[in-house]
Amino acid sequence: MSLARLVQRRLIIVTGKGGVGKTTLTAALALHYANQGRRVLAAEIVPHPETPSQLALALGIPKPTEEPALVLPNLWAALVTPTIGHHRFLQDSLPMKLLADAAMRSAALKKFLSAAPGFSDMGVMYRMLDLMKRPNAAGGHAYEIVLLDSPATGHALALAQIPEFLIRVIPGGPIRRVAEEGLAVLTDPRITGTIVVTLPETLPVTEALELQQGLAKHRLPVTAIVVNRVPKNPFTKEEHAALMTVLGERTAPVLGSRELRRIERAESALALLKERAPADSVVLAEVDGAGSVATRNLLPSL
Ligand SMILES: Nc1ncnc2c1ncn2[C@@H]1O[C@H](COP(=O)(O)OP(=O)(O)OP(=O)(O)O)[C@@H](O)[C@H]1O
Ligand SMILES: [Mg+2]
């Protein structure tokens, strides 16, 4: 099954280690669904609104803001910060909007919200739920599909851990209700899909499998492990063996030998993945270009 069909849910969380292609894949999936006529929100988790947007580069659009804006046909983009989540939470929980605005201006409260363990993730989760629930004029969802580009491995785990943590420590009230709602959304495989992106090398694949186990512990099942940037192998087995014999006889480095080793490493990494997680792993090829060019070149393989 194609990756886009496999992971299609209302909420798609893209996670994995640094630099593996999370943002590029988020952008490519967003374009794919938008081209199909679905209303899509591509959201990038960032610590502050001033953080440079990688999603903007991957989509070839101006820098998004915290308020979603239509950037391409059917495609909205937004930054998700903990602060916007806290602000929205206070607006929804306090009796008056003005109170929330005043509270958010309090330096002491801001410091508390950013320092208290779990509260920045809770802000991200609240905003995610808020955007998923946003209605449109026709009474449907403003965004049929929300794609969440997370910054680092820790984040999907944090999103998975935070509701359980809050439910354990908070007996009742609005925060607990948010945690319960978050847990229900995140752990429902009909609503949420998680993609772990990795590279075709043994260590990154092992780490992706560990992340898959970590997420599963928190009832956040991984829908797909994507091995990105897999080099094309132009050789048959026999050609490869013949080349290795020739290369083995050389003492000086030969042009292309590094690439050949990379192909070999990719093949062992893929064999390892097939053995440990045979279902739902998807391979995406190395494509030409960077930024939005790489995104568009990745589209046909989805
Ligand atoms: N399949 C691919 N083929 C070639 N280049 C790719 C591919 N996927 C991603 N890239 C390139 O790799 C670089 C890193 O990709 P990207 O920014 O999507 O990774 P990331 O996981 O989001 O990184 P970070 O952890 O820093 O957010 C970019 O320059 C991107 O264009
Ligand atoms: Mg990124």
Coordinates of all heavy atoms in Angstrom, one line a residue, residues 233-277:
N233 N 20.0 1.5 -6.3 CA 21.0 0.5 -6.6 C 20.9 0.1 -8.1 O 20.0 -0.6 -8.5 CB 20.8 -0.7 -5.7 CG 21.8 -1.8 -5.9 OD1 22.7 -1.6 -6.7 ND2 21.7 -2.9 -5.2
P234 N 21.8 0.6 -8.9 CA 21.7 0.3 -10.3 C 22.3 -1.1 -10.7 O 22.2 -1.5 -11.9 CB 22.5 1.4 -11.0 CG 23.5 1.8 -9.9 CD 23.0 1.4 -8.6
F235 N 22.8 -1.8 -9.8 CA 23.5 -3.1 -10.1 C 22.7 -4.3 -9.8 O 22.0 -4.3 -8.8 CB 24.8 -3.2 -9.4 CG 25.7 -2.0 -9.6 CD1 26.0 -1.1 -8.5 CD2 26.3 -1.7 -10.8 CE1 26.8 0.0 -8.7 CE2 27.1 -0.6 -11.0 CZ 27.3 0.3 -10.0
T236 N 22.9 -5.4 -10.6 CA 22.4 -6.7 -10.2 C 23.3 -7.3 -9.1 O 24.4 -6.7 -8.9 CB 22.3 -7.7 -11.4 OG1 23.7 -7.9 -11.8 CG2 21.5 -7.1 -12.5
K237 N 22.9 -8.4 -8.5 CA 23.8 -9.0 -7.5 C 25.1 -9.4 -8.1 O 26.2 -9.2 -7.4 CB 23.0 -10.3 -7.0 CG 22.4 -10.1 -5.7 CD 22.2 -11.5 -5.0 CE 21.6 -11.3 -3.6 NZ 20.3 -11.9 -3.5
E238 N 25.1 -9.9 -9.3 CA 26.3 -10.4 -9.9 C 27.2 -9.2 -10.2 O 28.4 -9.3 -10.0 CB 26.0 -11.1 -11.3 CG 25.2 -12.5 -11.1 CD 23.8 -12.3 -10.6 OE1 23.2 -11.3 -11.0 OE2 23.3 -13.2 -9.9
E239 N 26.6 -8.1 -10.8 CA 27.4 -7.0 -11.1 C 28.1 -6.4 -9.8 O 29.3 -6.0 -9.8 CB 26.6 -5.9 -11.7 CG 26.2 -6.2 -13.2 CD 25.1 -5.3 -13.7 OE1 24.4 -4.6 -12.9 OE2 24.8 -5.2 -14.9
H240 N 27.3 -6.4 -8.7 CA 27.8 -5.9 -7.5 C 29.0 -6.7 -7.0 O 30.0 -6.2 -6.6 CB 26.6 -5.9 -6.4 CG 27.0 -5.2 -5.2 ND1 26.3 -4.0 -4.8 CD2 27.9 -5.4 -4.2 CE1 26.8 -3.5 -3.7 NE2 27.8 -4.4 -3.3
A241 N 28.8 -8.0 -7.0 CA 29.9 -8.9 -6.6 C 31.1 -8.7 -7.4 O 32.3 -8.6 -6.9 CB 29.4 -10.4 -6.7
A242 N 30.9 -8.6 -8.7 CA 32.1 -8.3 -9.6 C 32.8 -7.0 -9.3 O 34.0 -7.0 -9.2 CB 31.6 -8.3 -11.1
L243 N 32.0 -6.0 -9.0 CA 32.6 -4.7 -8.7 C 33.4 -4.8 -7.4 O 34.5 -4.2 -7.2 CB 31.5 -3.7 -8.5 CG 31.1 -2.9 -9.7 CD1 29.8 -2.1 -9.5 CD2 32.2 -1.9 -10.1
M244 N 32.8 -5.5 -6.4 CA 33.5 -5.6 -5.1 C 34.9 -6.3 -5.3 O 35.8 -6.0 -4.6 CB 32.6 -6.4 -4.1 CG 31.4 -5.7 -3.6 SD 31.6 -3.9 -3.2 CE 32.5 -4.1 -1.7
T245 N 34.9 -7.3 -6.1 CA 36.2 -8.0 -6.4 C 37.2 -7.1 -6.9 O 38.3 -7.0 -6.5 CB 35.9 -9.2 -7.4 OG1 34.7 -9.8 -7.0 CG2 37.1 -10.2 -7.4
V246 N 36.8 -6.3 -7.9 CA 37.7 -5.3 -8.6 C 38.2 -4.3 -7.5 O 39.3 -4.0 -7.4 CB 37.0 -4.6 -9.7 CG1 37.9 -3.5 -10.3 CG2 36.6 -5.6 -10.8
L247 N 37.2 -3.8 -6.7 CA 37.5 -2.8 -5.7 C 38.5 -3.3 -4.7 O 39.4 -2.6 -4.2 CB 36.2 -2.2 -5.1 CG 35.4 -1.3 -5.9 CD1 34.1 -0.9 -5.2 CD2 36.2 0.0 -6.2
G248 N 38.2 -4.6 -4.3 CA 39.0 -5.2 -3.3 C 40.5 -5.3 -3.7 O 41.4 -5.3 -2.8
E249 N 40.8 -5.3 -5.0 CA 42.1 -5.4 -5.4 C 42.9 -4.1 -5.5 O 44.1 -4.0 -5.6 CB 42.1 -6.1 -6.9 CG 41.7 -7.5 -6.8 CD 41.3 -8.0 -8.2 OE1 41.4 -7.2 -9.2 OE2 40.8 -9.2 -8.3
R250 N 42.1 -3.0 -5.4 CA 42.7 -1.7 -5.4 C 43.1 -1.2 -4.0 O 42.5 -1.5 -3.0 CB 41.6 -0.6 -5.9 CG 41.1 -1.0 -7.3 CD 42.2 -0.6 -8.3 NE 41.6 -0.7 -9.6 CZ 41.6 0.3 -10.5 NH1 42.2 1.4 -10.2 NH2 41.1 0.1 -11.7
T251 N 44.2 -0.5 -4.0 CA 44.6 0.1 -2.7 C 44.1 1.5 -2.6 O 43.7 2.0 -1.6 CB 46.1 0.0 -2.5 OG1 46.7 0.4 -3.7 CG2 46.6 -1.4 -2.1
A252 N 44.2 2.3 -3.7 CA 43.8 3.7 -3.7 C 42.3 3.7 -3.8 O 41.6 2.8 -4.4 CB 44.4 4.4 -4.9
P253 N 41.7 4.8 -3.3 CA 40.2 4.9 -3.4 C 39.7 5.1 -4.8 O 40.4 5.8 -5.6 CB 39.9 6.2 -2.5 CG 41.2 6.8 -2.2 CD 42.3 5.9 -2.5
V254 N 38.6 4.5 -5.2 CA 38.1 4.6 -6.5 C 36.8 5.4 -6.5 O 36.0 5.2 -5.6 CB 37.8 3.1 -7.1 CG1 37.2 3.2 -8.5 CG2 39.1 2.3 -7.1
L255 N 36.7 6.2 -7.5 CA 35.5 7.0 -7.6 C 34.2 6.1 -7.6 O 34.2 5.1 -8.3 CB 35.5 7.8 -8.9 CG 34.5 9.0 -9.0 CD1 34.8 10.1 -8.1 CD2 34.4 9.5 -10.5
G256 N 33.3 6.4 -6.7 CA 32.1 5.6 -6.7 C 32.1 4.6 -5.6 O 31.1 4.0 -5.3
S257 N 33.3 4.3 -5.0 CA 33.3 3.2 -4.1 C 32.6 3.5 -2.8 O 31.9 2.6 -2.2 CB 34.8 2.7 -3.8 OG 35.5 3.8 -3.3
R258 N 32.6 4.8 -2.4 CA 31.9 5.2 -1.2 C 30.4 5.0 -1.4 O 29.7 4.5 -0.5 CB 32.1 6.7 -0.9 CG 33.1 6.9 0.2 CD 33.4 8.3 0.4 NE 32.2 9.0 1.0 CZ 32.1 10.3 1.1 NH1 33.2 11.1 0.8 NH2 31.1 10.9 1.7
E259 N 29.9 5.3 -2.6 CA 28.5 5.2 -2.9 C 28.1 3.7 -2.9 O 27.0 3.4 -2.4 CB 28.2 5.8 -4.3 CG 26.8 6.0 -4.7 CD 26.0 6.8 -3.6 OE1 26.6 7.7 -2.9 OE2 24.8 6.6 -3.6
L260 N 29.0 2.9 -3.4 CA 28.7 1.4 -3.4 C 28.6 0.9 -2.0 O 27.7 0.1 -1.7 CB 29.9 0.7 -4.1 CG 29.5 -0.6 -4.7 CD1 28.4 -0.5 -5.8 CD2 30.8 -1.3 -5.4
R261 N 29.5 1.4 -1.1 CA 29.4 1.0 0.3 C 28.1 1.5 0.9 O 27.5 0.8 1.8 CB 30.6 1.6 1.1 CG 31.9 1.2 0.6 CD 32.6 0.2 1.5 NE 34.0 0.0 1.1 CZ 34.3 -0.9 0.1 NH1 33.4 -1.6 -0.5 NH2 35.6 -1.0 -0.3
R262 N 27.7 2.7 0.5 CA 26.4 3.3 1.1 C 25.2 2.4 0.7 O 24.4 2.1 1.5 CB 26.3 4.7 0.5 CG 25.3 5.5 1.3 CD 25.2 6.9 0.8 NE 23.9 7.4 1.1 CZ 23.1 8.0 0.2 NH1 23.6 8.2 -1.0 NH2 21.9 8.4 0.5
I263 N 25.3 1.9 -0.6 CA 24.2 1.1 -1.1 C 24.2 -0.2 -0.3 O 23.1 -0.7 0.2 CB 24.4 0.8 -2.6 CG1 24.2 2.0 -3.4 CG2 23.5 -0.4 -3.0 CD1 24.5 1.9 -4.9
E264 N 25.4 -0.8 0.0 CA 25.5 -2.0 0.8 C 24.9 -1.8 2.2 O 24.2 -2.6 2.7 CB 26.9 -2.4 1.0 CG 27.4 -3.1 -0.3 CD 28.8 -3.7 -0.1 OE1 29.5 -3.3 0.9 OE2 29.2 -4.5 -0.9
R265 N 25.3 -0.6 2.8 CA 24.8 -0.4 4.2 C 23.3 -0.2 4.2 O 22.6 -0.7 5.1 CB 25.5 0.9 4.8 CG 27.0 0.7 5.1 CD 27.5 1.7 6.1 NE 27.1 3.1 5.7 CZ 27.9 3.8 4.9 NH1 29.0 3.3 4.3 NH2 27.5 5.0 4.5
A266 N 22.8 0.4 3.2 CA 21.3 0.6 3.1 C 20.6 -0.7 3.0 O 19.6 -0.9 3.6 CB 21.0 1.5 1.9
E267 N 21.2 -1.6 2.2 CA 20.6 -2.9 2.1 C 20.6 -3.7 3.4 O 19.6 -4.4 3.7 CB 21.3 -3.7 0.9 CG 20.8 -3.1 -0.4 CD 21.1 -3.8 -1.6 OE1 22.0 -4.7 -1.6 OE2 20.5 -3.5 -2.6
S268 N 21.7 -3.6 4.1 CA 21.7 -4.4 5.4 C 20.7 -3.7 6.4 O 20.0 -4.4 7.1 CB 23.0 -4.5 6.1 OG 24.0 -3.9 5.5
A269 N 20.6 -2.4 6.3 CA 19.6 -1.7 7.2 C 18.2 -2.1 6.9 O 17.4 -2.4 7.8 CB 19.8 -0.2 7.1
L270 N 17.9 -2.2 5.6 CA 16.5 -2.5 5.2 C 16.2 -4.0 5.5 O 15.1 -4.3 5.9 CB 16.4 -2.3 3.7 CG 16.3 -0.8 3.3 CD1 16.2 -0.7 1.7 CD2 15.2 -0.1 3.9
A271 N 17.3 -4.9 5.4 CA 17.1 -6.3 5.8 C 16.8 -6.4 7.3 O 15.9 -7.1 7.7 CB 18.3 -7.1 5.5
L272 N 17.5 -5.6 8.1 CA 17.3 -5.6 9.6 C 15.8 -5.1 9.9 O 15.1 -5.8 10.7 CB 18.2 -4.6 10.2 CG 18.0 -4.3 11.7 CD1 18.4 -5.5 12.6 CD2 18.8 -3.1 12.2
L273 N 15.4 -4.1 9.2 CA 14.0 -3.6 9.4 C 13.0 -4.6 9.0 O 12.0 -4.8 9.7 CB 13.8 -2.3 8.6 CG 12.5 -1.6 8.9 CD1 12.4 -1.2 10.3 CD2 12.4 -0.3 8.0
K274 N 13.2 -5.3 7.9 CA 12.3 -6.3 7.4 C 12.1 -7.4 8.4 O 11.1 -8.0 8.6 CB 12.8 -6.8 6.1 CG 11.7 -7.2 5.1 CD 12.3 -7.5 3.8 CE 11.3 -8.4 3.0 NZ 12.0 -8.9 1.8
E275 N 13.3 -7.8 9.0 CA 13.3 -8.9 10.0 C 12.6 -8.5 11.3 O 11.8 -9.2 11.8 CB 14.8 -9.2 10.3 CG 15.0 -10.3 11.2 CD 16.5 -10.3 11.7 OE1 17.4 -10.2 10.8 OE2 16.7 -10.5 12.9
R276 N 12.8 -7.2 11.8 CA 12.3 -6.8 13.1 C 10.9 -6.2 13.0 O 10.1 -6.3 13.9 CB 13.3 -5.8 13.7 CG 14.7 -6.3 13.9 CD 14.9 -6.8 15.4 NE 14.5 -5.7 16.3 CZ 15.4 -4.8 16.8 NH1 16.6 -4.8 16.3 NH2 15.0 -4.0 17.7
A277 N 10.6 -5.5 11.9 CA 9.2 -4.9 11.8 C 8.8 -5.1 10.3 O 8.8 -4.2 9.5 CB 9.3 -3.5 12.1

